[in-house]
Amino acid sequence: MQSLFQTYLTLGFEHIADLKGYDHILFIIALCAIYKLSEWRKVVILATAFTLGHSITLALAALDIIPINAAWIEFLIPVTILATAIYNVVVHRFSREMEEGTFDRRMNLNYFFAAGFGLIHGMGFSNFFRAMVMPGEHAQLIKQLFAFNIGVEMGQLLIIACVLTAAYIAFNLGKIKQREWNLFISGGAAANALVIALERWPG
Amino acid sequence: MTVFIFFLFAAWGSTHAFHVSKAVVEYNTSEQAVQVSMHLFLDDLEAALKQTHPEPLYLCSDKEKPEAETYLKEYLNRHFRLVLDGQSKALNFLGKEPSEDLQGVWCYLEIPKTKAPKSIRVIHTALMEVYSDQKNIVHLSFPGNREWTCLLSKDHTEETLTL
């Protein structure tokens, strides 16, 4: 027997780590593609910006403040993955010729996008959250939302740890260049996101 | 290699279907009764009831078959049980209503005239025979602000709680 908090934390974690609905996993993978293990702090901040975005829309949707068009949201989720993957390739190509300062400013833009894309994913989470939210007092709803978001964030951190470890192995044991790694991961994510987007074409 | 990854992911499919039910089990002190509100998705329920009633029952719609509720009651009886202080108690079916979004049904059940139990065992296998990833969430609320939640699934179909 668990507390309400533990249960919704588990549900949040399992929801993001679920291979059957892997679109959120794919987004996190795409987000990590341009980083090395030593840059993990940046990725954690990036994922937290994403969490901030999806927490806002998930709460607004769960509290019935914003309406959700599930078909459009489900379509836009792979679009955010595709955009991130394309952005990765473009940033990487330009970064070699750019000064440090310019690159950093682009990175700030990255946080902005992660938060913005989080807004879309949050609306996606709300379909699931509505199905399992326990009716009752308002305070309980906030507690369930909070626990669910913590669970999602933990799931994200696990995915980041896996991808950055794989990158570390690729760079150090596989002697793969960072540029190749990025093209490989971003290319795979883009191809897959494109298929999902076409499958979910609204209308 | 990209193509390989692409097929690896594509093979999993990309449906985002989730199989969840939720129930609140409360002890109503003034009525001295254990009351249950349970939410089940209508399409899941129709799929489950097909096994005993091959024709669709059109639950919670204008076309609902007259025998629908009997089948629903019988199904819940088989798949949801409460054992209070070691004694399995029959749950009366009070009624049902469609959920706000019309995708699900709320079922109301009750064990009338019973003392607040010292221990409670929840056995909940609804829809698990239909979906191997079915999750049934049960929230228990008892006098004195005592609240617990359990997450039941195919390999964990019951939970015992000592109050």
Side-chain angles (χ1 to χ4, degrees), chain A residues 1-2 4 7 11 14-15 20 22-24 127-128 130-135 184 187-188 192 195 199-200, chain B residues 1-2 5-6 9-10 13-16 18 22-24 41 106 133 135 137 139-140 148-150 159 161:
Chain A
M1 198 64 63
Q2 296 180 305
L4 187 81
T7 303
L11 286 165
E14 287 179 355
H15 185 55
K20 269 185 280 165
Y22 62 84
D23 46 0
H24 306 297
N127 292 326
F128 176 69
R130 274 165 182 278
M132 42 152 245
V133 68
M134 215 37 95
F184 173 69
N192 195 232
V195 174
E199 278 173 358
R200 296 183 184 171
Chain B
M1 209 50 186
T2 304
I5 287 241
F6 163 75
F9 279 125
S14 61
T15 48
H16 221 143
F18 26 83
K22 56 193 175 188
V24 181
F41 280 107
W106 280 102
D133 62 343
K135 284 191 189 105
I137 314 167
H139 184 70
L140 297 113
W148 297 269
T149 312
C150 48
E159 212 38 274
L161 173 70

Side-chain angles (χ1 to χ4, degrees), chain A residues 63-86:
Chain A
L63 293 166
D64 275 326
I65 296 169
I66 51 168
I68 299 299
N69 182 328
W72 269 97
I73 296 307
E74 291 301 302
F75 168 71
L76 286 174
I77 287 173
V79 172
T80 64
I81 302 166
L82 190 59
T84 306
I86 292 170

Side-chain angles (χ1 to χ4, degrees), chain B residues 4 39 44 53 89 107 126 132 146:
Chain B
F4 169 72
H39 180 274
D44 299 349
H53 189 285
K89 296 275 188 160
C107 301
S132 58
R146 287 175 304 177

Side-chain angles (χ1 to χ4, degrees), chain A residues 10-19 21 24-25 124-126 128-129 148 152, chain B residues 16 18 135:
Chain A
T10 308
L11 286 165
F13 181 84
E14 287 179 355
H15 185 55
I16 190 140
D18 184 5
L19 287 179
H24 306 297
I25 299 178
F125 291 148
S126 75
F128 176 69
F129 190 77
F148 185 80
V152 168
Chain B
H16 221 143
F18 26 83
K135 284 191 189 105

Side-chain angles (χ1 to χ4, degrees), chain A:
Chain A
M1 198 64 63
Q2 296 180 305
S3 69
L4 187 81
F5 191 88
Q6 283 172 307
T7 303
Y8 282 85
L9 186 136
T10 308
L11 286 165
F13 181 84
E14 287 179 355
H15 185 55
I16 190 140
D18 184 5
L19 287 179
K20 269 185 280 165
Y22 62 84
D23 46 0
H24 306 297
I25 299 178
L26 201 58
F27 181 76
I28 302 294
I29 292 175
L31 218 53
C32 293
I34 52 170
Y35 295 100
K36 294 190 292 249
L37 185 59
S38 58
E39 296 171 298
W40 64 272
R41 282 182 193 84
K42 277 185 191 169
V43 192
V44 170
I45 297 172
L46 208 57
T48 308
F50 176 65
T51 300
L52 204 68
H54 67 65
S55 303
I56 293 170
T57 42
L58 173 59
L60 292 177
L63 293 166
D64 275 326
I65 296 169
I66 51 168
I68 299 299
N69 182 328
W72 269 97
I73 296 307
E74 291 301 302
F75 168 71
L76 286 174
I77 287 173
V79 172
T80 64
I81 302 166
L82 190 59
T84 306
I86 292 170
Y87 178 76
N88 284 346
V89 176
V90 173
V91 165
H92 200 87
R93 206 181 56 208
F94 282 93
S95 65
R96 306 174 121 226
E97 299 136 30
M98 271 187 210
E99 296 162 42
E100 277 297 304
T102 325
F103 190 71
D104 279 350
R105 233 180 292 135
R106 275 187 169 270
M107 287 295 104
N108 290 338
L109 197 65
N110 222 351
Y111 297 133
F112 178 76
F113 273 118
F117 289 169
L119 296 174
I120 295 169
H121 286 248
M123 289 187 255
F125 291 148
S126 75
N127 292 326
F128 176 69
F129 190 77
R130 274 165 182 278
M132 42 152 245
V133 68
M134 215 37 95
E137 288 149 45
H138 235 50
Q140 289 269 342
L141 176 66
I142 299 296
K143 199 177 183 181
Q144 292 174 50
L145 268 172
F146 184 65
F148 185 80
N149 282 322
I150 299 283
V152 168
E153 175 77 11
M154 283 167 64
Q156 287 173 185
L157 295 179
L158 177 71
I159 299 162
I160 291 168
C162 292
V163 180
L164 292 184
T165 306
Y168 182 83
I169 294 169
F171 298 155
N172 292 283
L173 298 175
K175 303 287 173 212
I176 292 166
K177 290 196 180 80
Q178 201 181 356
R179 182 170 183 273
E180 288 167 353
W181 172 259
N182 178 27
L183 288 174
F184 173 69
I185 298 296
S186 297
N192 195 232
L194 184 64
V195 174
I196 304 176
L198 292 173
E199 278 173 358
R200 296 183 184 171
W201 195 267

Side-chain angles (χ1 to χ4, degrees), chain B:
Chain B
M1 209 50 186
T2 304
V3 174
F4 169 72
I5 287 241
F6 163 75
F7 279 112
L8 189 72
F9 279 125
W12 267 314
S14 61
T15 48
H16 221 143
F18 26 83
H19 303 124
V20 212
S21 86
K22 56 193 175 188
V24 181
V25 177
E26 279 174 294
Y27 187 76
N28 186 324
T29 316
S30 59
E31 290 180 35
Q32 300 240 310
V34 174
Q35 297 173 332
V36 181
S37 325
M38 186 189 294
H39 180 274
L40 300 155
F41 280 107
L42 281 168
D43 49 352
D44 299 349
L45 203 50
E46 288 280 354
L49 294 175
K50 225 175 207 152
Q51 286 167 8
T52 49
H53 189 285
E55 297 289 306
L57 288 162
Y58 302 109
L59 278 162
C60 292
S61 77
D62 301 339
K63 291 195 284 179
E64 184 176 306
K65 292 277 167 68
E67 69 272 29
E69 218 161 270
T70 315
Y71 278 86
L72 176 60
K73 271 186 223 176
E74 194 268 333
Y75 183 79
L76 292 179
N77 249 328
R78 246 186 312 133
H79 291 279
F80 182 73
R81 274 198 299 138
L82 293 177
V83 180
L84 308 180
D85 296 324
Q87 272 189 299
S88 185
K89 296 275 188 160
L91 284 143
N92 295 343
F93 184 87
L94 299 182
K96 66 177 195 322
E97 63 178 349
S99 63
E100 236 174 271
D101 59 6
L102 303 175
Q103 290 188 29
V105 56
W106 280 102
C107 301
Y108 302 104
L109 308 159
E110 186 185 58
I111 301 172
K113 302 273 174 289
T114 185
K115 276 185 285 181
K118 290 197 177 63
S119 85
I120 183 163
R121 200 164 122 216
V122 184
I123 306 149
H124 195 352
T125 56
L127 304 173
M128 287 173 191
E129 78 286 8
V130 186
Y131 307 113
S132 58
D133 62 343
Q134 175 71 27
K135 284 191 189 105
N136 294 328
I137 314 167
V138 182
H139 184 70
L140 297 113
S141 177
F142 280 81
N145 266 334
R146 287 175 304 177
E147 313 260 340
W148 297 269
T149 312
C150 48
L151 192 55
L152 301 173
S153 57
K154 200 157 196 164
D155 48 4
H156 179 67
T157 57
E158 60 172 86
E159 212 38 274
T160 306
L161 173 70
T162 312
L163 306 172

